[in-house]
Amino acid sequence: MKKLEERILQDGNVLGENILKVDSFLTHQVDFSLMKEIGQVFAEHFRDTGITKVVTIEASGIAPAVYTAEALNVPMIFAKKSKNITMTEGILTAEVYSFTKQVTSTVSIAGKFLESSDKVLVIDDFLANGQAANGLIKIIEEAGAEVAAVGIVIEKSFQDGRSLLEAQGQTVLSLARIDRFENGKVVFREADL
Ligand code: G4P
């Protein structure tokens, strides 16, 4: 997605070896018009595939996921990273290890929001090592539902996420694919959409 790549080049900051800071439009402050376009691009691609739900994980996956869901006119569900007191029964969970934060957390979705007849599009802001997406896939499969594909806003192609997901037979579609960081600059490879 050309517009997204241009925005990353304009406003993204490379931190250290392998982190891209995009807090001015995606991970902290949110550019709703860009998010809406992102949602429309995903929705356009999946328009005739019978998607019934969009699933993401809090926090930064929510903005692209909600616009994708709006454009597909289906519900959006975000997995929670901490259980709250209103989540009392029928909780589906998965353990997610974050290489970035070096902690394992339990992510959860209330089972009542996923049915075995659902065809789910997983959306997330970043694909790095694929642990978050992997956890979401486990939860969706636990519900007996089908994962149609994983849609990613920014993929760091030099990390293992895509290969981990593809090895499980998942389809990964990324709007921007970062090949490498070179002297603090982002170098893209060809994106999927
Ligand atoms: P993984 O899910 O692909 O395995 O990623 P990893 O454990 O490495 O990353 C954990 C968190 O860090 C995730 O967000 C992920 O989106 C984010 N992340 C990974 N690489 C980058 C990066 O280069 N830049 C930025 N800005 N974020 C990155 P999270 O902990 O779920 O945070 P949030 O969504 O609540 O903000």
Side-chain angles (χ1 to χ4, degrees):
M1 185 184 174
K2 215 71 254 104
K3 192 165 181 178
L4 172 65
E5 289 178 351
E6 284 166 7
R7 188 62 178 272
I8 292 168
L9 292 177
Q10 184 188 305
D11 291 336
N13 289 305
V14 176
L15 298 184
E17 293 280 286
N18 61 7
I19 297 291
L20 177 70
K21 192 167 175 176
V22 284
D23 62 348
S24 64
F25 63 94
L26 178 59
T27 61
H28 198 7
Q29 175 171 261
V30 172
D31 179 338
F32 65 83
S33 71
L34 180 62
M35 293 305 125
K36 198 169 176 79
E37 279 188 53
I38 283 171
Q40 286 163 347
V41 170
F42 280 132
E44 201 49 52
H45 185 82
F46 291 102
R47 182 77 60 204
D48 299 315
T49 60
I51 302 289
T52 60
K53 305 237 164 95
V54 172
V55 166
T56 190
I57 182 165
E58 62 177 346
S60 309
I62 293 176
V66 80
Y67 284 110
T68 305
E70 182 197 29
L72 287 168
N73 195 26
V74 298
M76 186 282 277
I77 303 146
F78 62 93
K80 302 213 177 201
K81 287 180 181 161
S82 61
K83 218 167 131 184
N84 68 38
I85 51 166
T86 64
M87 290 180 87
T88 48
E89 58 197 54
I91 308 300
L92 305 171
T93 60
E95 299 293 305
V96 171
Y97 177 73
S98 167
F99 288 96
T100 310
K101 295 175 180 164
Q102 300 196 327
V103 289
T104 298
S105 54
T106 304
V107 301
S108 51
I109 291 180
K112 64 180 174 184
F113 294 125
L114 288 172
E115 288 160 54
S116 56
S117 55
D118 277 324
K119 194 167 176 185
V120 179
L121 174 60
V122 173
I123 295 285
D124 209 357
D125 57 335
F126 268 93
L127 179 61
N129 296 295
Q131 298 303 307
N134 199 36
L136 294 178
I137 290 165
K138 281 194 191 137
I139 288 176
I140 293 158
E141 289 178 344
E142 217 179 311
E146 179 191 345
V147 178
V150 179
I152 297 293
V153 179
I154 303 176
E155 171 189 320
K156 295 191 291 181
S157 306
F158 53 86
Q159 290 182 271
D160 294 336
R162 177 180 281 254
S163 48
L164 177 92
L165 300 178
E166 287 182 341
Q168 298 172 33
Q170 298 296 341
T171 300
V172 179
L173 288 163
S174 302
L175 302 185
R177 299 187 70 195
I178 297 176
D179 187 73
R180 60 189 186 280
F181 297 134
E182 211 168 73
N183 304 320
K185 296 265 179 292
V186 176
V187 180
F188 292 107
R189 62 170 73 174
E190 197 181 339
D192 300 310
L193 294 174

